Amino acid sequence: HSTRKYLKMSDIDDSFKVSHQENNTTKVVYLGVSFMILFSAFNIAQNLVTQIFSQEGYTNLGQYCIFAIYGCFGCSSFVVSNIKAKLSHKMGLIIGASGYFSFLVAGAVGCYCIQEDIRGGLCTESSIYTLNIVTASYLGFCAGLLWLSQSSYVDDCTNPTNTGFLNGLFWSLCQTSQILGSLIGAFVLGNTNHFVFYLLMCCMAGVAIILFIFLPSVRPKQISSAEVLPVKESISKFIDTFKDKRMQPIFPVMFFTGIIIICYATILPKIAQLSLPGASQNEVNEKTSFIFTALGATEFISGSLIGKLADRFKKVYLVNVTNLLVQTGLFISMIAYFQSSYFAVMLAGISFGLGD
């Protein structure tokens, strides 16, 4: 008897699903690598902005920039969904990344003026402050668009069975930027100067924008028009969120997220500098970059695990654990400050990285 083998429709469907899932995984990896390059440039520049500008003689400019970035980032949340609704994922990413590029260019201009001892025109102190604060503000507004475009793109790549995996995959790649950027920063700042550092970061951000231009397209999921709210209604919903008892336990977590950012960009570099008395400017910058390398390494480890854990355990448990790690980092930071201990600063960075 001859044996006939029939191909079932379910086999075709399963084969298509596997191929489609693998294709979308590749797209998420492409996006993750693009973000890794962009934030390898931005993260280390942000982490050292107060230290570098202080060394260049721009008193408090780094703190002003950080305030402008995250102040405008918060304000943009009310309008960014309306803007994103009119843009493709690709265009949202390109425009969003342009803010990071402009901020790095402004930093390069400030360092170049000091290096070449130029004091007129664009290089006057008021012009440098204005340029950096304006580009930092623009970055803040662009950041909301960038991250909304990123989350929308990854969401369109996911299905109910791989949401945690693909998000964890993206974040593990993205958080590698802390390691890569910090190692680049340690080498460049340890051997050259601030202008060369910023120039290299500008080139990396430019490469990321080029990658976004060639980003593979994804089939968008159906979006209800109700998800895009008018600005007034968006603000009203935001206020109502504070009254929702279900959301109130999340607020302390959001607060500590802000604490982490402050420690990244202002506190840890200052404590590191205090713990290295007598060290040269290049040595201080190099060893501060090593702290952020350790922070980035632990972020990569936790980023690789958190997606799988989120699919298996209640998220509230994970929130409590990460919250505890952040508070531990704060406690160790205080010890590092009073003891002027470089080792303690390193431990604080590791704790922040695990909790971030």
mmCIF file of all heavy atoms in Angstrom, residues 60-96:
data_model
loop_
_atom_site.group_PDB
_atom_site.id
_atom_site.type_symbol
_atom_site.label_atom_id
_atom_site.label_comp_id
_atom_site.label_asym_id
_atom_site.label_seq_id
_atom_site.Cartn_x
_atom_site.Cartn_y
_atom_site.Cartn_z
ATOM 1 N N ASN A 60 27.428 74.800 37.395
ATOM 2 C CA ASN A 60 26.024 74.375 37.522
ATOM 3 C C ASN A 60 25.326 74.145 36.177
ATOM 4 O O ASN A 60 24.130 73.820 36.168
ATOM 5 C CB ASN A 60 25.203 75.391 38.334
ATOM 6 C CG ASN A 60 25.658 75.491 39.774
ATOM 7 O OD1 ASN A 60 26.088 74.497 40.365
ATOM 8 N ND2 ASN A 60 25.577 76.674 40.353
ATOM 9 N N LEU A 61 26.016 74.269 35.055
ATOM 10 C CA LEU A 61 25.362 74.064 33.763
ATOM 11 C C LEU A 61 24.870 72.625 33.623
ATOM 12 O O LEU A 61 23.784 72.390 33.065
ATOM 13 C CB LEU A 61 26.320 74.408 32.621
ATOM 14 C CG LEU A 61 25.768 74.198 31.196
ATOM 15 C CD1 LEU A 61 24.479 74.976 30.984
ATOM 16 C CD2 LEU A 61 26.814 74.583 30.153
ATOM 17 N N GLY A 62 25.643 71.676 34.113
ATOM 18 C CA GLY A 62 25.224 70.279 34.036
ATOM 19 C C GLY A 62 23.916 70.037 34.766
ATOM 20 O O GLY A 62 23.018 69.364 34.259
ATOM 21 N N GLN A 63 23.785 70.627 35.977
ATOM 22 C CA GLN A 63 22.541 70.463 36.735
ATOM 23 C C GLN A 63 21.373 71.112 36.008
ATOM 24 O O GLN A 63 20.265 70.572 35.995
ATOM 25 C CB GLN A 63 22.693 71.081 38.131
ATOM 26 C CG GLN A 63 23.588 70.293 39.076
ATOM 27 C CD GLN A 63 25.056 70.705 39.006
ATOM 28 O OE1 GLN A 63 25.542 71.100 37.951
ATOM 29 N NE2 GLN A 63 25.758 70.610 40.129
ATOM 30 N N TYR A 64 21.595 72.285 35.411
ATOM 31 C CA TYR A 64 20.528 72.951 34.660
ATOM 32 C C TYR A 64 20.060 72.074 33.496
ATOM 33 O O TYR A 64 18.857 71.989 33.212
ATOM 34 C CB TYR A 64 21.019 74.303 34.112
ATOM 35 C CG TYR A 64 21.384 75.318 35.172
ATOM 36 C CD1 TYR A 64 22.322 76.318 34.900
ATOM 37 C CD2 TYR A 64 20.808 75.287 36.444
ATOM 38 C CE1 TYR A 64 22.669 77.261 35.867
ATOM 39 C CE2 TYR A 64 21.154 76.217 37.411
ATOM 40 C CZ TYR A 64 22.090 77.205 37.118
ATOM 41 O OH TYR A 64 22.427 78.133 38.077
ATOM 42 N N CYS A 65 21.013 71.438 32.821
ATOM 43 C CA CYS A 65 20.668 70.588 31.678
ATOM 44 C C CYS A 65 19.844 69.378 32.115
ATOM 45 O O CYS A 65 18.853 69.016 31.450
ATOM 46 C CB CYS A 65 21.934 70.127 30.964
ATOM 47 S SG CYS A 65 22.780 71.431 30.032
ATOM 48 N N ILE A 66 20.248 68.752 33.214
ATOM 49 C CA ILE A 66 19.501 67.596 33.707
ATOM 50 C C ILE A 66 18.078 67.998 34.075
ATOM 51 O O ILE A 66 17.104 67.302 33.745
ATOM 52 C CB ILE A 66 20.207 66.963 34.922
ATOM 53 C CG1 ILE A 66 21.573 66.403 34.513
ATOM 54 C CG2 ILE A 66 19.345 65.864 35.539
ATOM 55 C CD1 ILE A 66 21.520 65.308 33.484
ATOM 56 N N PHE A 67 17.928 69.139 34.744
ATOM 57 C CA PHE A 67 16.592 69.631 35.107
ATOM 58 C C PHE A 67 15.761 69.894 33.856
ATOM 59 O O PHE A 67 14.577 69.543 33.788
ATOM 60 C CB PHE A 67 16.706 70.907 35.942
ATOM 61 C CG PHE A 67 15.381 71.497 36.315
ATOM 62 C CD1 PHE A 67 14.659 70.997 37.381
ATOM 63 C CD2 PHE A 67 14.851 72.558 35.594
ATOM 64 C CE1 PHE A 67 13.432 71.535 37.720
ATOM 65 C CE2 PHE A 67 13.634 73.108 35.915
ATOM 66 C CZ PHE A 67 12.908 72.595 36.994
ATOM 67 N N ALA A 68 16.374 70.507 32.842
ATOM 68 C CA ALA A 68 15.659 70.814 31.601
ATOM 69 C C ALA A 68 15.231 69.539 30.880
ATOM 70 O O ALA A 68 14.098 69.447 30.377
ATOM 71 C CB ALA A 68 16.540 71.669 30.689
ATOM 72 N N ILE A 69 16.126 68.547 30.843
ATOM 73 C CA ILE A 69 15.810 67.295 30.155
ATOM 74 C C ILE A 69 14.590 66.624 30.768
ATOM 75 O O ILE A 69 13.602 66.320 30.076
ATOM 76 C CB ILE A 69 17.013 66.331 30.187
ATOM 77 C CG1 ILE A 69 18.141 66.843 29.287
ATOM 78 C CG2 ILE A 69 16.597 64.925 29.739
ATOM 79 C CD1 ILE A 69 19.440 66.069 29.429
ATOM 80 N N TYR A 70 14.634 66.393 32.079
ATOM 81 C CA TYR A 70 13.576 65.589 32.689
ATOM 82 C C TYR A 70 12.337 66.413 33.006
ATOM 83 O O TYR A 70 11.237 65.862 33.090
ATOM 84 C CB TYR A 70 14.136 64.856 33.907
ATOM 85 C CG TYR A 70 15.108 63.786 33.468
ATOM 86 C CD1 TYR A 70 16.486 64.013 33.501
ATOM 87 C CD2 TYR A 70 14.653 62.592 32.951
ATOM 88 C CE1 TYR A 70 17.376 63.051 33.040
ATOM 89 C CE2 TYR A 70 15.524 61.627 32.485
ATOM 90 C CZ TYR A 70 16.884 61.864 32.537
ATOM 91 O OH TYR A 70 17.756 60.913 32.062
ATOM 92 N N GLY A 71 12.494 67.734 33.157
ATOM 93 C CA GLY A 71 11.315 68.584 33.293
ATOM 94 C C GLY A 71 10.501 68.590 32.008
ATOM 95 O O GLY A 71 9.275 68.412 32.023
ATOM 96 N N CYS A 72 11.175 68.760 30.874
ATOM 97 C CA CYS A 72 10.491 68.760 29.581
ATOM 98 C C CYS A 72 10.016 67.362 29.202
ATOM 99 O O CYS A 72 8.980 67.210 28.527
ATOM 100 C CB CYS A 72 11.414 69.317 28.501
ATOM 101 S SG CYS A 72 11.769 71.083 28.697
ATOM 102 N N PHE A 73 10.756 66.354 29.615
ATOM 103 C CA PHE A 73 10.337 64.962 29.384
ATOM 104 C C PHE A 73 8.979 64.726 30.040
ATOM 105 O O PHE A 73 8.052 64.161 29.440
ATOM 106 C CB PHE A 73 11.400 64.016 29.946
ATOM 107 C CG PHE A 73 11.216 62.571 29.559
ATOM 108 C CD1 PHE A 73 10.198 62.164 28.711
ATOM 109 C CD2 PHE A 73 12.082 61.600 30.053
ATOM 110 C CE1 PHE A 73 10.040 60.829 28.351
ATOM 111 C CE2 PHE A 73 11.934 60.262 29.703
ATOM 112 C CZ PHE A 73 10.911 59.877 28.854
ATOM 113 N N GLY A 74 8.833 65.189 31.287
ATOM 114 C CA GLY A 74 7.565 65.019 31.986
ATOM 115 C C GLY A 74 6.437 65.795 31.333
ATOM 116 O O GLY A 74 5.328 65.277 31.152
ATOM 117 N N CYS A 75 6.710 67.035 30.943
ATOM 118 C CA CYS A 75 5.678 67.870 30.307
ATOM 119 C C CYS A 75 5.243 67.297 28.964
ATOM 120 O O CYS A 75 4.070 67.416 28.580
ATOM 121 C CB CYS A 75 6.190 69.296 30.123
ATOM 122 S SG CYS A 75 6.474 70.190 31.680
ATOM 123 N N SER A 76 6.173 66.674 28.250
ATOM 124 C CA SER A 76 5.852 66.170 26.916
ATOM 125 C C SER A 76 4.852 65.025 26.947
ATOM 126 O O SER A 76 4.196 64.736 25.937
ATOM 127 C CB SER A 76 7.136 65.698 26.212
ATOM 128 O OG SER A 76 7.640 64.503 26.800
ATOM 129 N N SER A 77 4.719 64.368 28.103
ATOM 130 C CA SER A 77 3.817 63.216 28.196
ATOM 131 C C SER A 77 2.368 63.585 27.902
ATOM 132 O O SER A 77 1.569 62.728 27.525
ATOM 133 C CB SER A 77 3.921 62.576 29.583
ATOM 134 O OG SER A 77 3.504 63.485 30.593
ATOM 135 N N PHE A 78 2.020 64.859 28.072
ATOM 136 C CA PHE A 78 0.643 65.280 27.836
ATOM 137 C C PHE A 78 0.319 65.417 26.345
ATOM 138 O O PHE A 78 -0.848 65.377 25.961
ATOM 139 C CB PHE A 78 0.372 66.622 28.530
ATOM 140 C CG PHE A 78 0.524 66.569 30.023
ATOM 141 C CD1 PHE A 78 1.477 67.357 30.670
ATOM 142 C CD2 PHE A 78 -0.263 65.735 30.795
ATOM 143 C CE1 PHE A 78 1.623 67.313 32.041
ATOM 144 C CE2 PHE A 78 -0.118 65.678 32.169
ATOM 145 C CZ PHE A 78 0.825 66.471 32.802
ATOM 146 N N VAL A 79 1.312 65.600 25.526
ATOM 147 C CA VAL A 79 1.061 65.861 24.107
ATOM 148 C C VAL A 79 1.690 64.831 23.180
ATOM 149 O O VAL A 79 1.338 64.771 21.999
ATOM 150 C CB VAL A 79 1.575 67.271 23.713
ATOM 151 C CG1 VAL A 79 0.844 68.333 24.502
ATOM 152 C CG2 VAL A 79 3.090 67.397 23.934
ATOM 153 N N VAL A 80 2.613 64.020 23.698
ATOM 154 C CA VAL A 80 3.397 63.162 22.817
ATOM 155 C C VAL A 80 2.533 62.107 22.128
ATOM 156 O O VAL A 80 2.788 61.748 20.968
ATOM 157 C CB VAL A 80 4.561 62.507 23.598
ATOM 158 C CG1 VAL A 80 4.036 61.459 24.584
ATOM 159 C CG2 VAL A 80 5.566 61.871 22.635
ATOM 160 N N SER A 81 1.501 61.605 22.793
ATOM 161 C CA SER A 81 0.647 60.594 22.158
ATOM 162 C C SER A 81 -0.090 61.175 20.964
ATOM 163 O O SER A 81 -0.291 60.499 19.947
ATOM 164 C CB SER A 81 -0.345 60.013 23.165
ATOM 165 O OG SER A 81 -1.170 61.033 23.712
ATOM 166 N N ASN A 82 -0.491 62.446 21.059
ATOM 167 C CA ASN A 82 -1.155 63.097 19.935
ATOM 168 C C ASN A 82 -0.202 63.285 18.756
ATOM 169 O O ASN A 82 -0.588 63.143 17.602
ATOM 170 C CB ASN A 82 -1.713 64.460 20.361
ATOM 171 C CG ASN A 82 -2.721 64.349 21.487
ATOM 172 O OD1 ASN A 82 -2.354 64.192 22.648
ATOM 173 N ND2 ASN A 82 -3.994 64.426 21.164
ATOM 174 N N ILE A 83 1.052 63.617 19.070
ATOM 175 C CA ILE A 83 2.056 63.782 18.014
ATOM 176 C C ILE A 83 2.385 62.437 17.380
ATOM 177 O O ILE A 83 2.435 62.306 16.152
ATOM 178 C CB ILE A 83 3.332 64.427 18.588
ATOM 179 C CG1 ILE A 83 3.023 65.837 19.123
ATOM 180 C CG2 ILE A 83 4.433 64.486 17.532
ATOM 181 C CD1 ILE A 83 4.176 66.481 19.860
ATOM 182 N N LYS A 84 2.578 61.408 18.227
ATOM 183 C CA LYS A 84 2.938 60.076 17.716
ATOM 184 C C LYS A 84 1.832 59.499 16.832
ATOM 185 O O LYS A 84 2.119 58.774 15.860
ATOM 186 C CB LYS A 84 3.209 59.122 18.896
ATOM 187 C CG LYS A 84 3.491 57.677 18.501
ATOM 188 C CD LYS A 84 4.716 57.581 17.609
ATOM 189 C CE LYS A 84 5.002 56.147 17.208
ATOM 190 N NZ LYS A 84 4.017 55.629 16.226
ATOM 191 N N ALA A 85 0.569 59.834 17.119
ATOM 192 C CA ALA A 85 -0.542 59.305 16.336
ATOM 193 C C ALA A 85 -0.468 59.744 14.883
ATOM 194 O O ALA A 85 -1.032 59.090 13.997
ATOM 195 C CB ALA A 85 -1.872 59.746 16.949
ATOM 196 N N LYS A 86 0.262 60.822 14.611
ATOM 197 C CA LYS A 86 0.375 61.354 13.251
ATOM 198 C C LYS A 86 1.670 60.917 12.566
ATOM 199 O O LYS A 86 1.927 61.295 11.423
ATOM 200 C CB LYS A 86 0.301 62.878 13.283
ATOM 201 C CG LYS A 86 -1.002 63.414 13.884
ATOM 202 C CD LYS A 86 -0.988 64.929 13.967
ATOM 203 C CE LYS A 86 -2.284 65.447 14.608
ATOM 204 N NZ LYS A 86 -2.281 66.931 14.734
ATOM 205 N N LEU A 87 2.486 60.142 13.278
ATOM 206 C CA LEU A 87 3.788 59.745 12.751
ATOM 207 C C LEU A 87 3.920 58.234 12.700
ATOM 208 O O LEU A 87 3.310 57.512 13.496
ATOM 209 C CB LEU A 87 4.914 60.318 13.621
ATOM 210 C CG LEU A 87 5.005 61.842 13.761
ATOM 211 C CD1 LEU A 87 6.043 62.198 14.815
ATOM 212 C CD2 LEU A 87 5.361 62.490 12.423
ATOM 213 N N SER A 88 4.750 57.746 11.799
ATOM 214 C CA SER A 88 5.100 56.327 11.784
ATOM 215 C C SER A 88 6.101 56.040 12.901
ATOM 216 O O SER A 88 6.682 56.964 13.480
ATOM 217 C CB SER A 88 5.720 55.963 10.431
ATOM 218 O OG SER A 88 6.951 56.655 10.245
ATOM 219 N N HIS A 89 6.303 54.748 13.186
ATOM 220 C CA HIS A 89 7.311 54.381 14.182
ATOM 221 C C HIS A 89 8.673 54.947 13.789
ATOM 222 O O HIS A 89 9.391 55.517 14.612
ATOM 223 C CB HIS A 89 7.417 52.857 14.303
ATOM 224 C CG HIS A 89 6.174 52.192 14.777
ATOM 225 N ND1 HIS A 89 5.344 52.746 15.724
ATOM 226 C CD2 HIS A 89 5.613 50.997 14.442
ATOM 227 C CE1 HIS A 89 4.331 51.931 15.954
ATOM 228 N NE2 HIS A 89 4.472 50.856 15.190
ATOM 229 N N LYS A 90 9.013 54.786 12.515
ATOM 230 C CA LYS A 90 10.329 55.206 12.033
ATOM 231 C C LYS A 90 10.532 56.706 12.195
ATOM 232 O O LYS A 90 11.562 57.163 12.701
ATOM 233 C CB LYS A 90 10.495 54.797 10.575
ATOM 234 C CG LYS A 90 11.850 55.154 9.978
ATOM 235 C CD LYS A 90 11.928 54.773 8.510
ATOM 236 C CE LYS A 90 11.848 53.281 8.317
ATOM 237 N NZ LYS A 90 12.079 52.901 6.886
ATOM 238 N N MET A 91 9.548 57.500 11.778
ATOM 239 C CA MET A 91 9.683 58.946 11.859
ATOM 240 C C MET A 91 9.743 59.406 13.310
ATOM 241 O O MET A 91 10.492 60.327 13.658
ATOM 242 C CB MET A 91 8.527 59.632 11.130
ATOM 243 C CG MET A 91 8.688 61.150 11.006
ATOM 244 S SD MET A 91 10.248 61.646 10.213
ATOM 245 C CE MET A 91 10.044 60.932 8.580
ATOM 246 N N GLY A 92 8.955 58.765 14.174
ATOM 247 C CA GLY A 92 8.999 59.102 15.598
ATOM 248 C C GLY A 92 10.368 58.852 16.194
ATOM 249 O O GLY A 92 10.870 59.648 16.998
ATOM 250 N N LEU A 93 11.002 57.754 15.809
ATOM 251 C CA LEU A 93 12.341 57.419 16.309
ATOM 252 C C LEU A 93 13.390 58.393 15.783
ATOM 253 O O LEU A 93 14.290 58.804 16.516
ATOM 254 C CB LEU A 93 12.695 55.987 15.919
ATOM 255 C CG LEU A 93 11.913 54.878 16.628
ATOM 256 C CD1 LEU A 93 12.107 53.549 15.929
ATOM 257 C CD2 LEU A 93 12.315 54.780 18.095
ATOM 258 N N ILE A 94 13.277 58.759 14.511
ATOM 259 C CA ILE A 94 14.255 59.675 13.919
ATOM 260 C C ILE A 94 14.176 61.051 14.576
ATOM 261 O O ILE A 94 15.199 61.634 14.968
ATOM 262 C CB ILE A 94 14.033 59.786 12.399
ATOM 263 C CG1 ILE A 94 14.357 58.453 11.720
ATOM 264 C CG2 ILE A 94 14.898 60.897 11.808
ATOM 265 C CD1 ILE A 94 13.943 58.396 10.262
ATOM 266 N N ILE A 95 12.955 61.575 14.696
ATOM 267 C CA ILE A 95 12.788 62.887 15.332
ATOM 268 C C ILE A 95 13.216 62.819 16.793
ATOM 269 O O ILE A 95 13.890 63.724 17.303
ATOM 270 C CB ILE A 95 11.329 63.363 15.215
ATOM 271 C CG1 ILE A 95 10.959 63.604 13.749
ATOM 272 C CG2 ILE A 95 11.112 64.645 16.024
ATOM 273 C CD1 ILE A 95 9.504 63.931 13.525
ATOM 274 N N GLY A 96 12.834 61.745 17.464
ATOM 275 C CA GLY A 96 13.222 61.599 18.870
ATOM 276 C C GLY A 96 14.726 61.572 19.054
ATOM 277 O O GLY A 96 15.275 62.230 19.939
#
